[in-house]
Amino acid sequence: AQSVAQPEDQVNVAEGNPLTVKCTYSVSGNPYLFWYVQYPNRGLQFLLKYITGDNLVKGSYGFEAEFNKSQTSFHLKKPSALVSDSALYFCAVRAYDRGSTLGRLYFGRGTQLTVWP
Amino acid sequence: EAQVTQNPRYLITVTGKKLTVTCSQNMNHEYMSWYRQDPGLGLRQIYYSMNVEVTDKGDVPEGYKVSRKEKRNFPLILESPSPNQTSLYFCASSSLAGGGETQYFGPGTRLLVL
């Protein structure tokens, strides 16, 4: 079965400090990994994705994520947090099952990031 | 502009009164999906569709129906809404070219069932 875990419901950091939002996954086969962000009263916006190749993926707004196959992790990072980064972050994985689950995305429960000024 | 649109954005209704939430995408995507978002539970998939006339259940399909008569539209139907269907609903779409395609989300529909 495919699944995604985000072990922290909340992450609090001070502005200017580095931030990490954790994600681990479980899939059969090669994973396609995604991060989405949700600002208050908005839909989900795509941040970045890992398909293949370099394990460090760069995305929008200065975010990056590192794919670690041995640890089955895909943590989201940013070297210097901004107050405007405060939002709800979702990790997601897509893997191809046999049968009808082709193309499905499986989401974690989300991590609320708060950046304090 | 590439987008997924949903209507209505906000809806208050009463138990048992049938309602439909529309979803439309202009990107010619094969794959469309409905999710509900509840605090502490993240996004849970209700139904999805691989193409016209091809739909399948997600994780929480009870109480919902969908149809896919046209590629661009994927309405969500609640035949007899109940208070436990009060939630924030998102429609999403993506292509199916190779697995790494980004899923695009609509702005959400906030539903309150009294």
Tab-separated table of all heavy atoms in Angstrom, chain A residues 32 34 36 38 41-46 49 51 88 90 94 96 100-110, chain B residues 9 31 35 37 40-43 45 48 50 56 58-59 88 90 94 96 98-103 105-107:
chain	number	residue	atom	x	y	z
A	32	TYR	N	7.122	8.912	-7.248
A	32	TYR	CA	7.111	10.287	-7.719
A	32	TYR	C	6.634	11.116	-6.524
A	32	TYR	O	5.547	10.888	-6.009
A	32	TYR	CB	6.160	10.452	-8.893
A	32	TYR	CG	6.502	9.581	-10.072
A	32	TYR	CD1	5.811	8.397	-10.306
A	32	TYR	CD2	7.508	9.938	-10.950
A	32	TYR	CE1	6.120	7.586	-11.388
A	32	TYR	CE2	7.835	9.132	-12.030
A	32	TYR	CZ	7.137	7.962	-12.243
A	32	TYR	OH	7.449	7.162	-13.304
A	34	PHE	N	6.021	14.797	-4.339
A	34	PHE	CA	5.584	16.176	-4.541
A	34	PHE	C	5.446	16.895	-3.199
A	34	PHE	O	5.148	16.277	-2.174
A	34	PHE	CB	4.193	16.206	-5.216
A	34	PHE	CG	4.119	15.502	-6.537
A	34	PHE	CD1	4.021	14.122	-6.611
A	34	PHE	CD2	4.144	16.227	-7.716
A	34	PHE	CE1	3.955	13.465	-7.835
A	34	PHE	CE2	4.069	15.587	-8.948
A	34	PHE	CZ	3.976	14.209	-9.004
A	36	TYR	N	3.232	20.319	-1.879
A	36	TYR	CA	2.255	21.363	-2.152
A	36	TYR	C	2.153	22.278	-0.937
A	36	TYR	O	2.373	21.838	0.193
A	36	TYR	CB	0.871	20.761	-2.426
A	36	TYR	CG	0.725	20.112	-3.782
A	36	TYR	CD1	1.142	18.806	-3.987
A	36	TYR	CD2	0.172	20.808	-4.840
A	36	TYR	CE1	0.996	18.198	-5.224
A	36	TYR	CE2	0.022	20.211	-6.090
A	36	TYR	CZ	0.447	18.908	-6.267
A	36	TYR	OH	0.306	18.312	-7.495
A	38	GLN	N	-0.462	25.238	0.948
A	38	GLN	CA	-1.809	25.809	1.001
A	38	GLN	C	-1.801	27.024	1.910
A	38	GLN	O	-1.580	26.909	3.122
A	38	GLN	CB	-2.814	24.780	1.506
A	38	GLN	CG	-4.249	25.282	1.497
A	38	GLN	CD	-5.221	24.257	2.042
A	38	GLN	OE1	-4.865	23.412	2.854
A	38	GLN	NE2	-6.465	24.316	1.588
A	41	ASN	N	-7.371	29.996	3.089
A	41	ASN	CA	-8.492	30.245	2.173
A	41	ASN	C	-8.100	30.117	0.702
A	41	ASN	O	-8.698	30.758	-0.159
A	41	ASN	CB	-9.096	31.628	2.428
A	41	ASN	CG	-9.612	31.765	3.842
A	41	ASN	OD1	-10.303	30.878	4.349
A	41	ASN	ND2	-9.254	32.850	4.498
A	42	ARG	N	-7.110	29.298	0.435
A	42	ARG	CA	-6.678	29.075	-0.942
A	42	ARG	C	-6.597	27.582	-1.228
A	42	ARG	O	-6.559	26.747	-0.320
A	42	ARG	CB	-5.301	29.698	-1.167
A	42	ARG	CG	-5.234	31.185	-0.878
A	42	ARG	CD	-5.865	31.999	-1.981
A	42	ARG	NE	-5.158	31.885	-3.243
A	42	ARG	CZ	-4.102	32.611	-3.581
A	42	ARG	NH1	-3.629	33.502	-2.754
A	42	ARG	NH2	-3.538	32.455	-4.759
A	43	GLY	N	-6.536	27.245	-2.502
A	43	GLY	CA	-6.313	25.864	-2.893
A	43	GLY	C	-4.851	25.504	-2.757
A	43	GLY	O	-4.019	26.311	-2.358
A	44	LEU	N	-4.531	24.266	-3.079
A	44	LEU	CA	-3.153	23.808	-2.990
A	44	LEU	C	-2.361	24.288	-4.201
A	44	LEU	O	-2.822	24.237	-5.346
A	44	LEU	CB	-3.092	22.289	-2.935
A	44	LEU	CG	-3.281	21.663	-1.563
A	44	LEU	CD1	-4.721	21.770	-1.109
A	44	LEU	CD2	-2.824	20.205	-1.564
A	45	GLN	N	-1.148	24.710	-3.924
A	45	GLN	CA	-0.247	25.151	-4.996
A	45	GLN	C	0.964	24.236	-5.032
A	45	GLN	O	1.531	23.900	-3.998
A	45	GLN	CB	0.220	26.588	-4.744
A	45	GLN	CG	-0.880	27.623	-4.725
A	45	GLN	CD	-0.336	28.989	-4.403
A	45	GLN	OE1	0.797	29.312	-4.749
A	45	GLN	NE2	-1.126	29.816	-3.761
A	46	PHE	N	1.353	23.872	-6.224
A	46	PHE	CA	2.519	23.025	-6.428
A	46	PHE	C	3.799	23.775	-6.058
A	46	PHE	O	3.988	24.939	-6.437
A	46	PHE	CB	2.552	22.599	-7.886
A	46	PHE	CG	3.818	21.938	-8.315
A	46	PHE	CD1	4.097	20.636	-7.950
A	46	PHE	CD2	4.736	22.620	-9.097
A	46	PHE	CE1	5.263	20.023	-8.357
A	46	PHE	CE2	5.899	22.017	-9.513
A	46	PHE	CZ	6.172	20.713	-9.146
A	49	LYS	N	8.781	18.873	-7.218
A	49	LYS	CA	8.584	17.437	-7.345
A	49	LYS	C	9.904	16.733	-7.652
A	49	LYS	O	10.830	17.333	-8.219
A	49	LYS	CB	7.568	17.126	-8.442
A	49	LYS	CG	8.002	17.530	-9.847
A	49	LYS	CD	6.898	17.220	-10.854
A	49	LYS	CE	7.286	17.669	-12.268
A	49	LYS	NZ	6.185	17.405	-13.255
A	51	ILE	N	11.164	13.349	-9.668
A	51	ILE	CA	10.794	12.264	-10.575
A	51	ILE	C	11.953	11.288	-10.704
A	51	ILE	O	11.822	10.091	-10.471
A	51	ILE	CB	10.399	12.813	-11.968
A	51	ILE	CG1	9.300	13.869	-11.822
A	51	ILE	CG2	9.963	11.685	-12.881
A	51	ILE	CD1	8.067	13.374	-11.145
A	88	LEU	N	0.243	25.845	5.282
A	88	LEU	CA	0.089	24.409	5.494
A	88	LEU	C	0.766	23.686	4.334
A	88	LEU	O	0.487	23.988	3.171
A	88	LEU	CB	-1.393	24.054	5.564
A	88	LEU	CG	-1.801	22.630	5.899
A	88	LEU	CD1	-1.241	22.201	7.245
A	88	LEU	CD2	-3.329	22.519	5.904
A	90	PHE	N	1.861	20.124	2.350
A	90	PHE	CA	1.493	18.736	2.138
A	90	PHE	C	2.542	18.040	1.280
A	90	PHE	O	2.939	18.543	0.228
A	90	PHE	CB	0.150	18.625	1.418
A	90	PHE	CG	-1.033	19.013	2.242
A	90	PHE	CD1	-1.573	20.281	2.156
A	90	PHE	CD2	-1.610	18.096	3.097
A	90	PHE	CE1	-2.671	20.645	2.920
A	90	PHE	CE2	-2.714	18.439	3.866
A	90	PHE	CZ	-3.247	19.719	3.777
A	94	ARG	N	3.080	9.578	-5.653
A	94	ARG	CA	2.343	8.842	-6.676
A	94	ARG	C	3.177	7.634	-7.050
A	94	ARG	O	4.373	7.749	-7.256
A	94	ARG	CB	2.081	9.692	-7.908
A	94	ARG	CG	1.434	8.909	-9.056
A	94	ARG	CD	1.329	9.758	-10.306
A	94	ARG	NE	0.261	10.720	-10.206
A	94	ARG	CZ	0.382	12.000	-10.563
A	94	ARG	NH1	1.522	12.450	-11.024
A	94	ARG	NH2	-0.651	12.819	-10.463
A	96	TYR	N	2.660	3.674	-9.182
A	96	TYR	CA	1.743	2.933	-10.027
A	96	TYR	C	1.487	1.553	-9.464
A	96	TYR	O	2.364	0.707	-9.417
A	96	TYR	CB	2.297	2.842	-11.438
A	96	TYR	CG	2.150	4.146	-12.152
A	96	TYR	CD1	3.230	4.979	-12.319
A	96	TYR	CD2	0.911	4.560	-12.618
A	96	TYR	CE1	3.089	6.193	-12.946
A	96	TYR	CE2	0.758	5.776	-13.248
A	96	TYR	CZ	1.856	6.592	-13.410
A	96	TYR	OH	1.712	7.791	-14.027
A	100	SER	N	-6.578	-0.291	-10.922
A	100	SER	CA	-7.256	0.981	-11.123
A	100	SER	C	-6.643	2.155	-10.372
A	100	SER	O	-7.179	3.236	-10.408
A	100	SER	CB	-8.716	0.833	-10.712
A	100	SER	OG	-8.790	0.539	-9.326
A	101	THR	N	-5.553	1.985	-9.650
A	101	THR	CA	-5.027	3.111	-8.889
A	101	THR	C	-3.996	3.911	-9.670
A	101	THR	O	-3.310	4.751	-9.121
A	101	THR	CB	-4.402	2.637	-7.567
A	101	THR	OG1	-3.396	1.688	-7.869
A	101	THR	CG2	-5.449	2.029	-6.666
A	102	LEU	N	-3.895	3.626	-10.946
A	102	LEU	CA	-2.944	4.347	-11.780
A	102	LEU	C	-3.162	5.837	-11.684
A	102	LEU	O	-4.254	6.336	-11.887
A	102	LEU	CB	-3.129	3.908	-13.230
A	102	LEU	CG	-2.119	4.447	-14.235
A	102	LEU	CD1	-0.780	3.787	-14.000
A	102	LEU	CD2	-2.587	4.164	-15.656
A	103	GLY	N	-2.117	6.571	-11.371
A	103	GLY	CA	-2.197	8.014	-11.359
A	103	GLY	C	-2.619	8.639	-10.054
A	103	GLY	O	-2.577	9.851	-9.931
A	104	ARG	N	-2.995	7.859	-9.062
A	104	ARG	CA	-3.457	8.444	-7.814
A	104	ARG	C	-2.322	9.087	-7.043
A	104	ARG	O	-1.200	8.603	-7.023
A	104	ARG	CB	-4.110	7.389	-6.930
A	104	ARG	CG	-5.465	6.957	-7.399
A	104	ARG	CD	-6.114	6.074	-6.368
A	104	ARG	NE	-6.262	6.782	-5.094
A	104	ARG	CZ	-6.818	6.251	-4.017
A	104	ARG	NH1	-7.259	5.007	-4.046
A	104	ARG	NH2	-6.924	6.922	-2.903
A	105	LEU	N	-2.643	10.193	-6.395
A	105	LEU	CA	-1.735	10.850	-5.468
A	105	LEU	C	-2.175	10.535	-4.045
A	105	LEU	O	-3.365	10.620	-3.733
A	105	LEU	CB	-1.773	12.361	-5.653
A	105	LEU	CG	-0.708	13.070	-6.477
A	105	LEU	CD1	-0.923	14.564	-6.400
A	105	LEU	CD2	0.686	12.708	-6.034
A	106	TYR	N	-1.217	10.197	-3.214
A	106	TYR	CA	-1.501	9.956	-1.808
A	106	TYR	C	-0.865	11.084	-1.003
A	106	TYR	O	0.321	11.347	-1.138
A	106	TYR	CB	-0.941	8.604	-1.368
A	106	TYR	CG	-1.602	7.439	-2.036
A	106	TYR	CD1	-1.197	7.017	-3.301
A	106	TYR	CD2	-2.647	6.756	-1.419
A	106	TYR	CE1	-1.814	5.947	-3.925
A	106	TYR	CE2	-3.261	5.682	-2.036
A	106	TYR	CZ	-2.837	5.289	-3.288
A	106	TYR	OH	-3.450	4.222	-3.911
A	107	PHE	N	-1.671	11.722	-0.155
A	107	PHE	CA	-1.221	12.882	0.593
A	107	PHE	C	-0.945	12.547	2.047
A	107	PHE	O	-1.617	11.703	2.656
A	107	PHE	CB	-2.278	13.981	0.551
A	107	PHE	CG	-2.330	14.714	-0.753
A	107	PHE	CD1	-3.089	14.235	-1.803
A	107	PHE	CD2	-1.613	15.879	-0.929
A	107	PHE	CE1	-3.131	14.912	-3.009
A	107	PHE	CE2	-1.651	16.566	-2.131
A	107	PHE	CZ	-2.412	16.084	-3.171
A	108	GLY	N	0.027	13.259	2.617
A	108	GLY	CA	0.200	13.249	4.052
A	108	GLY	C	-0.862	14.130	4.700
A	108	GLY	O	-1.671	14.760	4.016
A	109	ARG	N	-0.849	14.183	6.025
A	109	ARG	CA	-1.876	14.934	6.743
A	109	ARG	C	-1.599	16.425	6.803
A	109	ARG	O	-2.439	17.207	7.246
A	109	ARG	CB	-2.035	14.385	8.154
A	109	ARG	CG	-2.583	12.980	8.172
A	109	ARG	CD	-2.922	12.537	9.575
A	109	ARG	NE	-3.579	11.236	9.564
A	109	ARG	CZ	-4.145	10.681	10.616
A	109	ARG	NH1	-4.145	11.297	11.783
A	109	ARG	NH2	-4.723	9.498	10.516
A	110	GLY	N	-0.423	16.811	6.378
A	110	GLY	CA	-0.101	18.225	6.370
A	110	GLY	C	0.683	18.657	7.606
A	110	GLY	O	0.520	18.110	8.700
B	9	ARG	N	-18.191	28.420	-4.524
B	9	ARG	CA	-17.074	28.449	-3.604
B	9	ARG	C	-17.532	28.215	-2.162
B	9	ARG	O	-16.803	27.647	-1.359
B	9	ARG	CB	-16.374	29.801	-3.698
B	9	ARG	CG	-15.684	30.058	-5.035
B	9	ARG	CD	-14.455	29.171	-5.199
B	9	ARG	NE	-13.606	29.202	-4.043
B	9	ARG	CZ	-12.735	30.152	-3.766
B	9	ARG	NH1	-12.587	31.174	-4.588
B	9	ARG	NH2	-11.985	30.080	-2.681
B	31	TYR	N	-6.932	13.026	-16.270
B	31	TYR	CA	-7.193	12.618	-14.892
B	31	TYR	C	-7.823	13.757	-14.115
B	31	TYR	O	-7.329	14.892	-14.127
B	31	TYR	CB	-5.875	12.211	-14.241
B	31	TYR	CG	-5.982	11.717	-12.819
B	31	TYR	CD1	-6.246	10.383	-12.550
B	31	TYR	CD2	-5.794	12.579	-11.751
B	31	TYR	CE1	-6.324	9.923	-11.245
B	31	TYR	CE2	-5.873	12.128	-10.454
B	31	TYR	CZ	-6.136	10.796	-10.205
B	31	TYR	OH	-6.222	10.334	-8.909
B	35	TYR	N	-11.286	15.648	-3.741
B	35	TYR	CA	-10.774	15.412	-2.400
B	35	TYR	C	-11.639	16.191	-1.405
B	35	TYR	O	-12.236	17.208	-1.734
B	35	TYR	CB	-9.344	15.930	-2.255
B	35	TYR	CG	-8.320	15.300	-3.154
B	35	TYR	CD1	-8.072	15.815	-4.421
B	35	TYR	CD2	-7.570	14.208	-2.725
B	35	TYR	CE1	-7.111	15.251	-5.238
B	35	TYR	CE2	-6.606	13.643	-3.550
B	35	TYR	CZ	-6.386	14.170	-4.797
B	35	TYR	OH	-5.428	13.610	-5.608
B	37	GLN	N	-11.043	17.901	2.504
B	37	GLN	CA	-10.016	18.246	3.481
B	37	GLN	C	-10.681	18.527	4.816
B	37	GLN	O	-11.551	19.399	4.931
B	37	GLN	CB	-9.214	19.477	3.028
B	37	GLN	CG	-8.093	19.837	3.987
B	37	GLN	CD	-7.328	21.065	3.556
B	37	GLN	OE1	-7.732	21.782	2.646
B	37	GLN	NE2	-6.206	21.313	4.199
B	40	GLY	N	-6.759	17.828	10.588
B	40	GLY	CA	-6.082	16.667	11.154
B	40	GLY	C	-6.108	15.426	10.291
B	40	GLY	O	-5.460	14.428	10.621
B	41	LEU	N	-6.842	15.468	9.200
B	41	LEU	CA	-6.960	14.292	8.331
B	41	LEU	C	-6.328	14.507	6.964
B	41	LEU	O	-6.268	13.571	6.158
B	41	LEU	CB	-8.429	13.905	8.156
B	41	LEU	CG	-9.164	13.499	9.426
B	41	LEU	CD1	-10.632	13.194	9.129
B	41	LEU	CD2	-8.494	12.277	10.058
B	42	GLY	N	-5.886	15.705	6.690
B	42	GLY	CA	-5.276	15.970	5.391
B	42	GLY	C	-6.282	15.899	4.268
B	42	GLY	O	-7.474	16.193	4.461
B	43	LEU	N	-5.824	15.506	3.102
B	43	LEU	CA	-6.699	15.370	1.935
B	43	LEU	C	-7.029	13.900	1.735
B	43	LEU	O	-6.137	13.054	1.681
B	43	LEU	CB	-6.016	15.907	0.680
B	43	LEU	CG	-6.164	17.393	0.421
B	43	LEU	CD1	-5.230	18.175	1.301
B	43	LEU	CD2	-5.906	17.700	-1.040
B	45	GLN	N	-9.142	11.269	-0.796
B	45	GLN	CA	-9.725	11.222	-2.129
B	45	GLN	C	-11.115	10.599	-2.083
B	45	GLN	O	-11.320	9.559	-1.467
B	45	GLN	CB	-8.820	10.422	-3.067
B	45	GLN	CG	-9.215	10.513	-4.518
B	45	GLN	CD	-8.222	9.809	-5.410
B	45	GLN	OE1	-7.863	8.663	-5.175
B	45	GLN	NE2	-7.759	10.493	-6.446
B	48	TYR	N	-12.177	9.508	-8.408
B	48	TYR	CA	-11.311	9.992	-9.454
B	48	TYR	C	-11.757	9.441	-10.797
B	48	TYR	O	-12.558	8.496	-10.857
B	48	TYR	CB	-9.840	9.656	-9.174
B	48	TYR	CG	-9.518	8.186	-9.148
B	48	TYR	CD1	-8.981	7.551	-10.258
B	48	TYR	CD2	-9.717	7.441	-7.989
B	48	TYR	CE1	-8.661	6.208	-10.212
B	48	TYR	CE2	-9.408	6.101	-7.939
B	48	TYR	CZ	-8.873	5.482	-9.052
B	48	TYR	OH	-8.565	4.145	-9.022
B	50	MET	N	-10.165	8.567	-14.798
B	50	MET	CA	-9.004	8.453	-15.672
B	50	MET	C	-9.287	9.048	-17.052
B	50	MET	O	-8.341	9.364	-17.788
B	50	MET	CB	-8.624	6.985	-15.843
B	50	MET	CG	-8.421	6.266	-14.529
B	50	MET	SD	-6.988	6.857	-13.640
B	50	MET	CE	-5.697	6.151	-14.627
B	56	ASP	N	-13.738	5.946	-10.695
B	56	ASP	CA	-13.511	4.914	-9.686
B	56	ASP	C	-13.510	5.546	-8.306
B	56	ASP	O	-13.267	6.751	-8.152
B	56	ASP	CB	-12.202	4.188	-9.932
B	56	ASP	CG	-12.221	2.768	-9.367
B	56	ASP	OD1	-13.167	2.435	-8.612
B	56	ASP	OD2	-11.301	1.998	-9.677
B	58	GLY	N	-12.405	6.500	-4.550
B	58	GLY	CA	-11.209	6.768	-3.790
B	58	GLY	C	-11.327	6.156	-2.408
B	58	GLY	O	-11.890	5.078	-2.240
B	59	ASP	N	-10.846	6.882	-1.415
B	59	ASP	CA	-10.835	6.343	-0.057
B	59	ASP	C	-12.135	6.571	0.707
B	59	ASP	O	-12.462	5.803	1.607
B	59	ASP	CB	-9.683	6.983	0.729
B	59	ASP	CG	-8.344	6.672	0.096
B	59	ASP	OD1	-8.120	5.497	-0.259
B	59	ASP	OD2	-7.519	7.598	-0.040
B	88	LEU	N	-14.254	20.928	3.373
B	88	LEU	CA	-13.692	21.725	2.295
B	88	LEU	C	-13.343	20.763	1.166
B	88	LEU	O	-12.593	19.806	1.370
B	88	LEU	CB	-12.446	22.458	2.789
B	88	LEU	CG	-11.687	23.329	1.788
B	88	LEU	CD1	-12.583	24.402	1.194
B	88	LEU	CD2	-10.477	23.962	2.473
B	90	PHE	N	-11.963	19.909	-2.744
B	90	PHE	CA	-11.088	20.340	-3.821
B	90	PHE	C	-11.208	19.406	-5.012
B	90	PHE	O	-11.221	18.182	-4.859
B	90	PHE	CB	-9.622	20.343	-3.372
B	90	PHE	CG	-9.291	21.430	-2.408
B	90	PHE	CD1	-9.162	21.150	-1.058
B	90	PHE	CD2	-9.103	22.726	-2.845
B	90	PHE	CE1	-8.850	22.157	-0.158
B	90	PHE	CE2	-8.795	23.746	-1.954
B	90	PHE	CZ	-8.675	23.453	-0.608
B	94	SER	N	-4.859	16.394	-13.750
B	94	SER	CA	-3.504	16.261	-14.258
B	94	SER	C	-3.533	15.435	-15.533
B	94	SER	O	-4.503	14.729	-15.804
B	94	SER	CB	-2.576	15.606	-13.229
B	94	SER	OG	-2.866	14.238	-13.089
B	96	LEU	N	-1.765	12.287	-17.768
B	96	LEU	CA	-1.315	10.953	-17.364
B	96	LEU	C	-0.137	10.501	-18.220
B	96	LEU	O	0.075	9.332	-18.417
B	96	LEU	CB	-2.461	9.946	-17.506
B	96	LEU	CG	-3.547	10.024	-16.442
B	96	LEU	CD1	-4.666	9.046	-16.757
B	96	LEU	CD2	-2.974	9.735	-15.062
B	98	GLY	N	3.181	10.376	-17.890
B	98	GLY	CA	4.285	9.536	-17.444
B	98	GLY	C	4.393	9.319	-15.954
B	98	GLY	O	5.299	8.665	-15.481
B	99	GLY	N	3.514	9.886	-15.199
B	99	GLY	CA	3.543	9.661	-13.756
B	99	GLY	C	4.066	10.835	-12.956
B	99	GLY	O	3.714	11.012	-11.806
B	100	GLY	N	4.890	11.656	-13.560
B	100	GLY	CA	5.442	12.762	-12.811
B	100	GLY	C	4.701	14.066	-13.000
B	100	GLY	O	5.196	15.126	-12.616
B	101	GLU	N	3.524	13.980	-13.554
B	101	GLU	CA	2.793	15.210	-13.873
B	101	GLU	C	2.243	15.854	-12.610
B	101	GLU	O	1.760	15.192	-11.698
B	101	GLU	CB	1.640	14.912	-14.831
B	101	GLU	CG	2.085	14.532	-16.223
B	101	GLU	CD	2.803	13.209	-16.248
B	101	GLU	OE1	2.358	12.304	-15.522
B	101	GLU	OE2	3.814	13.095	-16.957
B	102	THR	N	2.298	17.166	-12.617
B	102	THR	CA	1.774	17.934	-11.491
B	102	THR	C	0.258	17.895	-11.504
B	102	THR	O	-0.369	17.967	-12.561
B	102	THR	CB	2.245	19.384	-11.611
B	102	THR	OG1	3.671	19.392	-11.628
B	102	THR	CG2	1.740	20.221	-10.452
B	103	GLN	N	-0.317	17.790	-10.323
B	103	GLN	CA	-1.764	17.858	-10.195
B	103	GLN	C	-2.138	19.296	-9.855
B	103	GLN	O	-1.563	19.900	-8.946
B	103	GLN	CB	-2.239	16.899	-9.107
B	103	GLN	CG	-3.701	16.568	-9.190
B	103	GLN	CD	-4.016	15.230	-8.523
B	103	GLN	OE1	-4.732	15.208	-7.540
B	103	GLN	NE2	-3.508	14.140	-9.036
B	105	PHE	N	-4.933	22.112	-8.687
B	105	PHE	CA	-6.093	22.143	-7.807
B	105	PHE	C	-6.964	23.359	-8.057
B	105	PHE	O	-6.466	24.442	-8.377
B	105	PHE	CB	-5.636	22.154	-6.339
B	105	PHE	CG	-5.167	20.818	-5.864
B	105	PHE	CD1	-3.895	20.371	-6.154
B	105	PHE	CD2	-6.009	20.001	-5.127
B	105	PHE	CE1	-3.459	19.122	-5.727
B	105	PHE	CE2	-5.592	18.758	-4.691
B	105	PHE	CZ	-4.318	18.317	-4.992
B	106	GLY	N	-8.249	23.162	-7.871
B	106	GLY	CA	-9.187	24.264	-7.856
B	106	GLY	C	-9.096	25.031	-6.549
B	106	GLY	O	-8.380	24.628	-5.629
B	107	PRO	N	-9.842	26.123	-6.431
B	107	PRO	CA	-9.755	26.993	-5.251
B	107	PRO	C	-10.476	26.447	-4.033
B	107	PRO	O	-10.300	26.967	-2.927
B	107	PRO	CB	-10.404	28.284	-5.725
B	107	PRO	CG	-11.371	27.839	-6.779
B	107	PRO	CD	-10.725	26.681	-7.466
